Amino acid sequence: MLRWLIGGGREPQSLAEKSSVQTIGEEQIQNPYTELLVLKGHQDIVRFLVQIDNYRFASAGDDGVVFLWNAQTGEKLFELHGHTHKITAIAPFSSSDASEEKSHLILTASADRTVIVWDCASGRQVQKVSCFHSTVKCLTVLQRLDVWLSGGSDLCVWNRKLDLLCKTSHLTDAGITALVELPKNCVAAAVGRELIIFRLIASSDMSEGWNVLEVKRLADHQDNILSLVSVNDLTFVTGSYVGELIVWDALDWTKQAYECNFWDSSLHQDIQPEIKLTQSPNETPVQHLTSDDECVFAAVGKGIYVYNLQMKRVIACQRSAHDSSVLHIEKLPNRQLISCSEDGSVRIWELREKQQLPAEPVSTGFFNMWGFGRANKQANQAAKKIQENTPMYFLELVGDLIGHSSAVQMFLYFGELGLVTCSADHLIILWKDGERESRLRSLTLFKKLTENDDLEFK
């Protein structure tokens, strides 16, 4: 494990040359992460991080090994071996039985067609399931029902003891790639470009059994669904490979909003050249979605977009947030966003309100307010009215974390304990608040001196 300080020194030459991407100077006053710990152990790409509790997390990736870490100290707690191929999905599964001490489990799925349950307290393998006919691509825990789901060529429902309670028939060769929990014991499953709604129905014989029933298929996306996020009990959102975003009603599964990029440049000749997107839709997938009660935050191609659910439009964006595709984005409690990219960078953004200026006619839609899509006079006037009555925002770069040498896959935010990132460079980095760590070290030293009677009090 290595430790060093960041924040000083010259900006890397390669970063300084990237004129299309916003850069930040050496003095990053609003970036607290000036100290880092490098956690070594993995021998291949680290793709997954999951939080276990307030101070522990697990990492997994293409080497098939799972590591448990202490987010406060960077200490490696356990090294879990059991899979023979890369990890394809991971999920925490905490006990819900109030009568016993709360236990923390981890579920891991692998390309070896197995799922293993691990005990986080002991690091031991609790049980292994090897009955899958294909790779499990996603795992979802329904904590309220005390069951978990595995998605692949089938949707399977399991209990804590790893008993198979029920499963669907074979879906497609592509299989389920993502799952999200919905109200009324339902889940939404992404299967190619389709969204399939399943409902879990308890067995009538009062046993622990469940039945899984397909209740609806939604074929509104034009290409494969890449991302799913639940906003609240009323709304969930999906994003596709060609830049579509659909806002869904979580109770009746109807569309609340549909937004899409239109790649025909002839539809928006009036757009300024500096905000014109690439013509290739392959470079602008909705790679990741996250949300709060008001907005959806989307990682789209190299950019990040803030979509207001009530106004049904983008209120802020950074088209060139990174030099390569943005892989993960999260909203922090203090109106900040963090994004990470294939270019190896991790960036902190602050959502700030713009000063009101006279409104210009703009087109409506997810990306259309930035100049994409077909506009007409009525739409322009409606958008103008909205702009006059609602605040506008922008994303300002306030921190640039340079530590990884390859694509940063995702990150976890641990509040005052810091930020954890994982990368294709086989490393995990624990980013720390430099001032806080300095104060803690000073306090520790003070206590040691006091205990050794090296300080005299008058």
Side-chain angles (χ1 to χ4, degrees):
M1 181 174 68
L2 305 177
R3 177 195 294 265
W4 70 83
L5 303 181
I6 66 171
R10 295 183 61 188
E11 190 175 17
Q13 184 69 21
S14 60
L15 184 64
E17 293 171 353
K18 297 171 183 175
S19 58
S20 63
V21 179
Q22 187 177 351
T23 57
I24 190 169
E26 291 180 7
E27 290 192 15
Q28 301 181 32
I29 299 174
Q30 299 178 71
N31 176 15
Y33 303 112
T34 56
E35 185 172 329
L36 57 86
L37 297 169
V38 178
L39 312 183
K40 294 185 175 181
H42 285 284
Q43 302 300 313
D44 210 328
I45 299 174
V46 189
R47 297 188 186 275
F48 303 103
L49 299 170
V50 294
Q51 186 169 346
I52 299 169
D53 52 28
N54 290 334
Y55 70 96
R56 290 181 299 171
F57 69 95
S59 62
D62 288 5
D63 59 6
V65 183
V66 182
F67 288 89
L68 268 60
W69 306 89
N70 184 312
Q72 187 168 16
T73 64
E75 177 189 2
K76 184 194 300 179
L77 303 175
F78 294 107
E79 187 172 331
L80 312 179
H81 293 268
H83 290 295
T84 58
H85 291 73
K86 67 179 182 179
I87 306 294
T88 55
I90 184 169
F93 191 4
S94 301
S95 66
S96 57
D97 189 351
S99 64
E100 61 182 30
E101 186 178 350
K102 189 169 186 178
S103 62
H104 296 278
L105 304 174
I106 294 178
L107 307 169
T108 56
S110 168
D112 62 14
R113 299 184 180 182
T114 66
V115 171
I116 297 178
V117 182
W118 308 91
D119 187 320
C120 296
S122 63
R124 65 182 179 88
Q125 181 177 308
V126 177
Q127 200 165 345
K128 188 174 187 176
V129 182
S130 306
C131 62
F132 298 99
H133 299 297
S134 64
T135 300
V136 172
K137 299 178 180 179
C138 53
L139 297 166
T140 297
V141 175
L142 305 185
Q143 197 73 44
R144 184 175 57 82
L145 302 179
D146 205 29
V147 300
W148 59 276
L149 313 179
S150 61
S153 59
D154 305 292
L155 177 67
C156 300
V157 183
W158 309 81
N159 64 12
R160 185 176 294 275
K161 300 174 184 177
L162 270 70
D163 299 321
L164 178 60
L165 304 179
C166 58
K167 63 183 291 188
T168 63
S169 57
H170 184 76
L171 295 168
T172 65
D173 292 334
I176 298 172
T177 55
L179 288 164
V180 66
E181 182 179 3
L182 301 179
K184 299 181 179 179
N185 296 352
C186 290
V187 293
V191 183
R193 67 182 62 186
E194 280 193 314
L195 198 63
I196 305 180
I197 308 297
F198 294 99
R199 176 174 281 124
L200 274 65
I201 302 172
S203 297
S204 56
D205 57 3
M206 300 301 289
S207 67
E208 196 183 0
W210 291 86
N211 294 313
V212 59
L213 177 67
E214 179 184 321
V215 293
K216 196 163 187 177
R217 289 197 176 217
L218 307 169
D220 297 84
H221 278 289
Q222 299 175 22
D223 210 321
N224 290 345
I225 298 169
L226 290 184
S227 47
L228 282 168
V229 66
S230 175
V231 177
N232 49 44
D233 287 341
L234 300 176
T235 307
F236 72 101
V237 181
T238 55
S240 81
Y241 187 73
V242 292
E244 301 165 289
L245 180 141
I246 299 181
V247 182
W248 302 91
D249 188 299
L251 298 176
D252 61 13
W253 319 304
T254 56
K255 284 191 298 183
Q256 294 181 344
Y258 174 84
E259 312 292 349
C260 182
N261 279 324
F262 297 92
W263 304 102
D264 185 354
S265 59
S266 65
L267 297 179
H268 39 84
Q269 294 290 342
D270 56 333
I271 302 312
Q272 297 176 0
E274 62 268 25
I275 60 172
K276 185 176 179 181
L277 272 183
T278 172
Q279 296 301 306
S280 171
N282 294 337
E283 296 183 13
T284 55
V286 183
Q287 194 71 35
H288 186 245
L289 294 169
T290 188
S291 72
D292 58 16
D293 287 336
E294 296 179 3
C295 296
V296 173
F297 307 92
V300 186
K302 300 176 184 179
I304 54 180
Y305 294 77
V306 182
Y307 181 82
N308 185 282
L309 290 165
Q310 185 175 5
M311 292 186 280
K312 292 184 170 56
R313 66 186 185 97
V314 170
I315 59 170
C317 85
Q318 273 290 346
R319 280 196 55 254
S320 297
H322 293 265
D323 195 56
S324 298
S325 294
V326 181
L327 299 181
H328 194 82
I329 183 171
E330 289 293 342
K331 168 77 161 49
L332 302 189
N334 53 0
R335 295 185 66 79
Q336 288 186 339
L337 299 175
I338 299 183
S339 58
C340 64
S341 167
E342 285 182 346
D343 64 14
S345 64
V346 181
R347 300 190 136 191
I348 306 172
W349 308 86
E350 186 160 322
L351 185 63
R352 295 183 175 173
E353 189 171 339
K354 281 183 179 179
Q355 269 190 321
Q356 286 286 19
L357 296 173
E360 293 292 331
V362 296
S363 48
T364 58
F366 180 41
F367 299 102
N368 295 353
M369 71 168 292
W370 307 106
F372 313 109
R374 190 184 303 274
N376 55 48
K377 292 182 179 179
Q378 289 182 341
N380 282 340
Q381 293 198 359
K384 183 177 179 180
K385 285 185 179 180
I386 293 175
Q387 239 186 359
E388 288 173 346
N389 298 324
T390 57
M392 291 296 294
Y393 298 87
F394 68 100
L395 289 167
E396 181 177 351
L397 179 62
V398 296
D400 204 350
L401 310 184
I402 303 173
H404 287 291
S405 62
S406 192
V408 181
Q409 303 293 316
M410 66 170 296
F411 51 85
L412 288 177
Y413 176 66
F414 272 92
E416 65 177 12
L417 294 185
L419 182 73
V420 184
T421 57
C422 66
S423 170
D425 60 13
H426 309 178
L427 300 178
I428 296 165
I429 294 182
L430 180 56
W431 305 84
K432 292 286 191 177
D433 183 329
E435 291 187 6
R436 179 178 182 273
E437 293 302 305
S438 179
R439 288 196 304 270
L440 290 175
R441 282 192 292 271
S442 298
L443 183 59
T444 301
L445 178 60
F446 180 83
K447 288 181 178 179
K448 285 183 178 179
L449 292 174
T450 304
E451 291 170 359
N452 294 333
D453 295 328
D454 289 336
L455 290 179
E456 295 182 2
F457 296 97
K458 296 182 180 180

